[in-house]
Amino acid sequence: MQKSLRDILAGVIFAGFGLAFAIASLGYDLGTPLRMGPGYFPLVLAVVLIALGLAIAGKALVDVGVEPLGGIPWRGLVLLLAAPVIFGLTIKGLGLAPSLFVTALMSAFASRRTPLSVAVLLAALLTLFCVLIFVYGLGITVPVFGSWLSL
């Protein structure tokens, strides 16, 4: 009986991230369910992530089927890992809107099946949504357009 290696690996990764977050959250005050401390909610989410990972891996171990792991999607891996780095490096100079647009565009292009028009539309809508929520709704003092764009 061969198992789905992809699902087993995904479950182990989920459980590993959950375990890491659970360990990190124990460094904060947990409080009680009625008076939650700063570590309570991350710990609950970590436990949910661990349970989800174990469920995915467990189901993959029970399933009967052949699913090869396949190749490593280098394009998606590089774009998804580089996107937050680019965002962090450019948000101060470019501002929130251009940095977020570029980051969303990079993330959309991680899939080869995303057409250019959909990627641009998705990036524009996500940028608009985030600017409305973070800058105007929550009042976070991040410039919409940074100093690199003001001539």
Side-chain angles (χ1 to χ4, degrees):
M1 182 182 337
Q2 292 189 353
K3 310 298 180 195
S4 172
L5 264 149
R6 180 179 297 176
D7 288 346
I8 293 171
L9 188 59
V12 169
I13 289 171
F14 281 9
F17 275 114
L19 185 63
F21 281 110
I23 291 170
S25 70
L26 292 177
Y28 296 100
D29 180 29
L30 295 179
T32 65
L34 293 177
R35 297 187 62 90
M36 294 181 201
Y40 189 87
F41 193 64
L43 180 62
V44 169
L45 289 180
V47 169
V48 169
L49 191 58
I50 291 170
L52 184 64
L54 292 177
I56 291 171
K59 183 180 181 308
L61 287 172
V62 173
D63 283 347
V64 177
V66 179
E67 186 176 334
L69 189 56
I72 297 173
W74 289 108
R75 175 185 166 146
L77 189 67
V78 168
L79 285 173
L80 289 177
L81 289 177
V85 173
I86 296 296
F87 181 78
L89 291 175
T90 60
I91 189 168
K92 194 171 186 176
L94 285 177
L96 179 65
S99 297
L100 193 57
F101 183 80
V102 169
T103 302
L105 205 58
M106 289 175 65
S107 300
F109 283 131
S111 171
R112 293 183 189 274
R113 293 179 280 182
T114 305
L116 177 64
S117 60
V118 172
V120 169
L121 179 66
L122 182 67
L125 289 176
L126 183 65
T127 301
L128 178 65
F129 179 75
C130 287
V131 167
L132 289 176
I133 293 294
F134 291 110
V135 175
Y136 298 111
L138 297 175
I140 294 177
T141 57
V142 175
V144 177
F145 294 99
S147 61
W148 293 352
L149 297 177
S150 60
L151 299 174

